[in-house]
Amino acid sequence: MSENEYQGGDTVNGVFEIALVVVLVGYLIFKRLAGQPAQGKRMLLLPIIYAVVGVGQSWQVFTSPTAIEFLGLTAVVSVGMGLIRGASVRVYEANGLVHMRYTAVTVALWVVTFAAKFGIGYLLGTLDATAEHAVTTGPMLTLGVSMLAEGIIVLAKALRVPGQIIWDRGKDGAEHRASPFLDNMKQQRLEQHGGMPGEAGTIGEMR
């Protein structure tokens, strides 16, 4: 197989991966705009799984210096955007559980996250004609690290409001799964500060 054919196959796979990431993020936004219990599994474990899968899918790019630069730069930008998005998420108590809800700012920041990735890829393509396929490199990896950064900030905010932080939401009326680790963190926070406010703030206080 020629190098051009190899890169063409990578590009097709990358485009499919980007489409999958867009669908996942679209579903995430739809669910979180309505508000849902803050779940440790979705804030911490799921993003790590995405990142690990992304590393496996992007392994071949480590032979390309340009793709490595693109992947590293977009990962750093994605982490930064994830931290900012986390600060924009509304965190509050409802029915004894900590809930989270995306705001208009959060959605806008997701758009900026994607725009930054494609913008960096376009810029690299103009600087290096052989790097045109770089924009399709590692979308699952950058999604994972970005969601993990967002989840860490949301979790930090969740520790400051009343209510339990569950690990996983129960299905079909089943009880929610708790996490001793998160419960201990919450208890330690309560003991250290002697009480909690009712709601953590967001960027711009968008509701």
Side-chain angles (χ1 to χ4, degrees):
M1 179 181 293
S2 68
E3 182 177 351
N4 288 337
E5 289 174 333
Y6 181 74
Q7 289 186 353
D10 286 347
T11 300
V12 171
N13 291 336
V15 170
F16 175 78
E17 193 176 343
I18 289 174
L20 176 60
V21 167
V22 170
V23 170
L24 288 173
V25 172
Y27 178 76
L28 181 74
I29 291 173
F30 173 76
K31 297 293 287 185
R32 291 186 175 178
L33 275 174
Q36 60 181 195
Q39 302 167 61
K41 180 178 179 179
R42 295 186 179 275
M43 289 189 292
L44 303 176
L45 181 60
L46 193 58
I48 292 175
I49 293 174
Y50 286 159
V52 171
V53 171
V55 169
Q57 293 176 334
S58 306
W59 189 254
Q60 68 274 12
V61 309
F62 296 120
T63 60
S64 168
T66 302
I68 292 174
E69 293 172 3
F70 172 77
L71 193 58
L73 183 57
T74 53
V76 170
V77 171
S78 296
V79 168
M81 293 304 302
L83 295 174
I84 299 172
R85 283 200 317 273
S88 75
V89 176
R90 182 189 173 198
V91 181
Y92 58 99
E93 185 272 336
N95 300 320
L97 300 178
V98 178
H99 281 61
M100 61 181 292
R101 189 172 74 190
Y102 273 4
T103 64
V105 173
T106 317
V107 177
L109 289 170
W110 266 117
V111 174
V112 173
T113 302
F114 280 107
K117 178 177 176 64
F118 289 115
I120 294 171
Y122 176 79
L123 178 61
L124 284 179
T126 60
L127 297 176
D128 183 354
T130 65
E132 293 181 353
H133 67 288
V135 69
T136 61
T137 299
M140 191 66 75
L141 172 59
T142 52
L143 171 67
V145 297
S146 191
M147 286 182 60
L148 180 60
E150 175 188 309
I152 289 173
I153 296 300
V154 172
L155 177 59
K157 295 171 66 174
L159 293 173
R160 303 199 303 267
V161 301
Q164 183 183 28
I165 307 171
I166 62 174
W167 176 251
D168 193 18
R169 192 172 186 174
K171 307 297 183 183
D172 299 323
E175 293 186 0
H176 303 312
R177 289 177 57 194
S179 166
F181 172 71
L182 294 177
D183 289 344
N184 289 337
M185 289 181 63
K186 189 87 173 192
Q187 183 61 32
Q188 291 175 6
R189 172 78 185 184
L190 178 62
E191 293 174 352
Q192 290 173 359
H193 296 271
M196 304 180 191
E199 180 175 313
T202 67
I203 293 177
E205 289 297 325
M206 296 290 292
R207 303 297 171 83

